[in-house]
């Protein structure tokens, strides 16, 4: 399903480093992609508030000690979670409540788009 498609795109992309450099990183990336599907669903459908809150709390706790989801650089896990959560992190309440997740998503906005994020309050 989703994991196979995303993984195939990542491996065939000119930036194949997104799939990890070691077996451990690849397993960790796959785990985070599965987490996205299990916790947040597959597509653009609205995420249930309970699941969203739980996911943001879990991610914020994880990102307290990590800069990226897997390894020491941008990976497919970061990109997949970024696209699932970006629209939910634009509110100032989310910015204050989930500070670590917000900081990482802000960094990813820059890495993915090449421009400053509009997530940080003005």
């Amino acid at each position: 399903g989703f994991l196979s498609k995303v993984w195939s795109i990542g491996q065939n992309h000119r930036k194949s480093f997104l799939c990890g450099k070691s077996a451990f990183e690849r397993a960790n990336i796959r785990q985070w992609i599965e987490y996205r599907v299990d916790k947040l669903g597959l597509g653009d459908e609205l995420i249930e508030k309970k699941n969203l809150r739980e996911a943001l709390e879990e991610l914020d706790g994880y990102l307290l000690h990590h800069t990226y989801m897997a390894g020491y650089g941008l990976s497919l896990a970061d990109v997949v979670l970024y696209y699932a959560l970006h629209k939910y992190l634009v509110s100032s309440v989310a910015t204050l409540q989930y500070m670590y997740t917000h900081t990482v998503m802000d960094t990813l906005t820059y890495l993915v788009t090449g421009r400053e994020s509009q997530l940080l309050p003005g």
Side-chain angles (χ1 to χ4, degrees):
F2 182 78
L3 174 60
S4 298
K5 290 175 185 173
V6 168
W7 196 258
S8 177
I9 291 168
Q11 285 186 316
N12 293 317
H13 192 271
R14 60 186 158 84
K15 297 183 182 194
S16 61
F17 66 86
L18 291 173
C19 290
K21 296 175 186 165
S22 68
F24 179 77
E25 277 186 14
R26 287 188 291 275
N28 203 3
I29 292 166
R30 285 176 176 264
Q31 180 181 3
W32 280 112
I33 294 171
E34 289 174 7
Y35 173 90
R36 189 258 200 228
V37 172
D38 292 344
K39 204 60 139 167
L40 303 172
L42 287 171
D44 288 335
E45 70 272 0
L46 290 177
I47 300 167
E48 289 184 36
K49 283 186 180 184
K50 178 184 176 230
N51 289 350
L52 178 62
R53 187 180 68 250
E54 287 175 2
L56 287 172
E57 287 172 2
E58 290 170 359
L59 290 171
D60 211 52
Y62 180 82
L63 292 170
L64 171 65
H65 302 289
H66 300 86
T67 304
Y68 297 98
M69 299 311 301
Y72 299 101
L74 184 67
S75 75
L76 204 52
D78 297 296
V79 174
V80 167
L81 285 165
Y82 170 84
Y83 281 106
L85 295 172
H86 181 264
K87 64 185 169 191
Y88 297 101
L89 291 170
V90 294
S91 77
S92 59
V93 172
T95 301
L96 298 174
Q97 193 170 6
Y98 306 108
M99 183 173 66
Y100 299 105
T101 301
H102 183 274
T103 300
V104 170
M105 292 294 154
D106 194 54
T107 301
L108 292 176
T109 297
Y110 180 75
L111 291 174
V112 170
T113 65
R115 60 180 189 265
E116 294 288 322
S117 167
Q118 300 301 312
L119 294 177
L120 290 175

